[in-house]
Amino acid sequence: MIVAEDLRKQYDEFVAVDTVSFTVEEGEIFGFLGPNGAGKTTTMKMIQCVSPKTSGTLTVFGMDVTTHPREIKQLLGVVPQENNLDPDFTVFENLLVYSQYFDLPRAPVETTIAELLDFVQLREKQDKPIEQLSGGMKRRLILARALINAPRLLILDEPTIGLDPQARHLIWDKIKALKAQGITVVLTTHYMDEAARLCDRLVIMDFGRILVDGKPDALVREYIGTDIVDAEHNPRVIACLNRTGAKYDVWGDTVRVYTAHPQDVIAALLNDCGLGTITARAATLEDVFLKLTGKKLRE
Amino acid sequence: MGYFTVPKLSSRMWKVWSRNKSVFMKTWRVNFFPPFLEPLLYLFALGFGLGSYIEVIEGMSYPRFIAPALIAIAIMNSAFFECTYGSYVRMYYQKTFDAMIATPLSIEEVIAGELLWGATRSLIYATIMLPVIAAFGLIELPLALLIIPFAFIAGFLFAAIGMCFTAITPNINALNYPAFLFITPMFLFSGTFFPLELLPQPVQYVALAALPLTHVVGITRSLTLAAPSGFFMLHIIWILVVSLVLFVLAVNLMRRRLIV
Ligand SMILES: Nc1ncnc2c1ncn2[C@@H]1O[C@H](COP(=O)(O)OP(=O)(O)OP(=O)(O)O)[C@@H](O)[C@H]1O
Ligand SMILES: [Mg+2]
């Protein structure tokens, strides 16, 4: 569906996407994770044919993004990171006007719009101006807008950014429903639970490069193990862990021990070192993410 | 790609035009009012007010002299301001162009559609003004009706000029510079309220070379008086050539700004 090889994007001197290669298969949900500024949006924009690549190859539906932008865009649905609904129109008109950019015939599209508004649960709002929608409603409307041309591939750049848990769950359900219809989905997100829940495969990017790719649970097993024990950070714990030879990282005031045998670690910490405040939990994608991308905040 | 790459366009650019038309028609009452009122204000203040001190100018009454200039000025303002402040708001604040280029529309078509719409606004304004001015018996019908198609061509010229400024402006406030340093002088010194011949010879040449409105007034005045000036064809050719060049430039400047 999408094949990128040695894809690069340079803004003047700055390299935003640095020689990445990846393949998205038909029918899967493929995720891009990464800290702020990792190059996720830049990659999405190259796939969408709105930002030209600097070098490398990129094909979507087997077509080159440089030579066939119009054909690719005709089959693509896009939820951009930044909302860009048209404030001069109502909810319904937004979808209608957008459908005209795809040159869709007017009469059937009105039925499609009604169905899409039902799908994202915005039918009652159809005559409201955009400014009267909440953030979650805007996001849902943009998702509906992305579906107007019955796309084969959906690009979702942080589809649930700034949404409450209910709205996020709703969007997740919709994304799963779309996948069930055979639509391929590429999404970016900062929510690890979202990625773990939705993505068949994902990549973690940082500084324009892809650090790892794989299935979410496989990545967790490979980089973290099955379990985590969090303990209070103090010199005695460190000494104790060093003695037992456990793998651990320090995150602020907690020590994070990676293990496949949490009981043993807990027993060791409690019995041999006599410590309190210990929690054991299953390893998550967030642990992989933090381990790989480090602690430093990106500016 | 350079500044004068000829854009590839398809009829989809009219979708952009159509979007702007829909917005315009939503508030048509407000939009149709200025071109109706404006000529009345100018005609009363300048034509019949100030003009009562002027017996004849170029062999005609003062209102008759300025009537075609008022139409030309409206053509200029409607397209220029649509494609500067209007387009800038759509491009920068509303992200309308971003949304459009995520569809099969290309940036070239988006800009072309904006320019066509700017030109259409000029046509609408001229069309509303003509009967108002005709009611005072200041123009020769039916020849003056040719101003309607001409308004589209001249409007396109000012739309392209405006779009070039929009493409290079660092922010919306900086659009005040072309408005005050280019549009205002043009409003005053393009043979609008007094004949160009009153200006010193070198200034006349500058006006003819660099102030598009002189050519537009040249045409509208020929049409409202039913007395084609000797330079009629020259004016037309100037407008067509400059429109085409600036159209290509505007599209390229915008592509450079938006496609990064
Ligand atoms: N138009 C541009 N000109 C110059 N630099 C840019 C431009 N757009 C993005 N960048 C830079 O490219 C890098 C990658 O940006 P990008 O938007 O792709 O990151 P991201 O992974 O989507 O981040 P976020 O999670 O914050 O959305 C950033 O350092 C950003 O500053
Ligand atoms: Mg981003």
Side-chain angles (χ1 to χ4, degrees), chain A:
Chain A
M1 189 70 33
I2 306 176
V3 181
E5 265 171 57
D6 299 330
L7 184 61
R8 265 172 71 85
K9 175 74 194 187
Q10 210 163 323
Y11 295 112
D12 296 323
E13 291 301 286
F14 181 78
V15 181
V17 173
D18 190 1
T19 333
V20 300
S21 302
F22 59 87
T23 307
V24 178
E25 307 291 346
E26 178 142 24
E28 73 177 340
I29 301 185
F30 191 92
F32 281 83
L33 308 186
N36 291 139
K40 303 180 297 294
T41 297
T42 306
T43 307
M44 295 307 115
K45 285 188 174 166
M46 287 191 281
I47 298 172
Q48 282 165 243
C49 313
V50 298
S51 182
K53 62 185 161 62
T54 308
S55 65
T57 58
L58 178 59
T59 59
V60 183
F61 311 116
M63 293 181 276
D64 191 304
V65 288
T66 315
T67 54
H68 293 78
R70 202 191 292 275
E71 292 80 354
I72 293 172
K73 291 196 283 181
Q74 184 77 42
L75 299 170
L76 212 63
V78 176
V79 171
Q81 182 171 348
E82 245 181 296
N83 285 349
N84 59 13
L85 291 164
D86 200 324
D88 291 325
F89 294 108
T90 64
V91 167
F92 184 88
E93 289 167 340
N94 254 275
L95 299 186
L96 186 63
V97 169
Y98 204 74
S99 76
Q100 294 312 297
Y101 303 153
F102 286 92
D103 221 354
L104 303 177
R106 174 87 186 230
V109 101
E110 296 203 1
T111 323
T112 313
I113 291 173
E115 287 164 10
L116 286 173
L117 287 176
D118 281 335
F119 182 66
V120 297
Q121 299 177 19
L122 283 174
R123 189 67 172 274
E124 323 79 78
K125 302 280 180 196
Q126 66 169 17
D127 296 321
K128 291 268 180 291
I130 297 305
E131 63 194 28
Q132 287 182 21
L133 300 186
S134 72
M137 292 175 189
K138 284 189 188 139
R139 239 29 213 158
R140 269 143 60 198
L141 181 56
I142 291 189
L143 179 62
R145 193 184 67 177
L147 296 170
I148 194 87
N149 56 327
R152 283 173 56 200
L153 172 62
L154 265 182
I155 309 283
L156 312 176
D157 198 352
E158 303 194 24
T160 61
I161 186 171
L163 301 192
D164 67 22
Q166 287 85 347
R168 289 176 64 202
H169 275 280
L170 181 78
I171 298 241
W172 291 343
D173 290 345
K174 298 305 163 195
I175 294 174
K176 284 186 198 148
L178 291 166
K179 180 192 152 141
Q181 292 171 27
I183 298 176
T184 309
V185 179
V186 174
L187 62 83
T188 79
T189 181
H190 287 297
Y191 302 110
M192 298 301 136
D193 54 332
E194 177 167 304
R197 199 181 281 250
L198 292 177
C199 295
D200 297 302
R201 290 190 307 133
L202 56 83
V203 296
I204 300 183
M205 287 183 82
D206 202 7
F207 298 112
R209 294 179 155 274
I210 291 180
L211 303 178
V212 289
D213 67 302
K215 296 186 194 311
D217 46 354
L219 288 173
V220 175
R221 249 180 287 120
E222 182 178 348
Y223 287 91
I224 303 293
T226 53
D227 292 86
I228 296 270
V229 174
D230 287 326
E232 201 180 308
H233 177 212
N234 62 44
R236 277 170 58 210
V237 174
I238 300 293
C240 184
L241 288 170
N242 286 340
R243 224 179 312 128
T244 58
K247 279 197 299 172
Y248 67 89
D249 271 328
V250 176
W251 292 92
D253 55 3
T254 49
V255 182
R256 185 159 298 170
V257 188
Y258 307 112
T259 175
H261 310 286
Q263 289 88 344
D264 300 352
V265 175
I266 292 172
L269 286 173
L270 287 176
N271 302 338
D272 305 352
C273 316
L275 293 170
T277 31
I278 296 172
T279 40
R281 60 182 175 81
T284 65
L285 199 54
E286 181 147 354
D287 299 309
V288 181
F289 185 88
L290 290 172
K291 185 169 179 183
L292 291 173
T293 58
K295 297 164 210 177
K296 222 173 138 256
L297 184 70
R298 302 304 139 83
E299 63 272 37

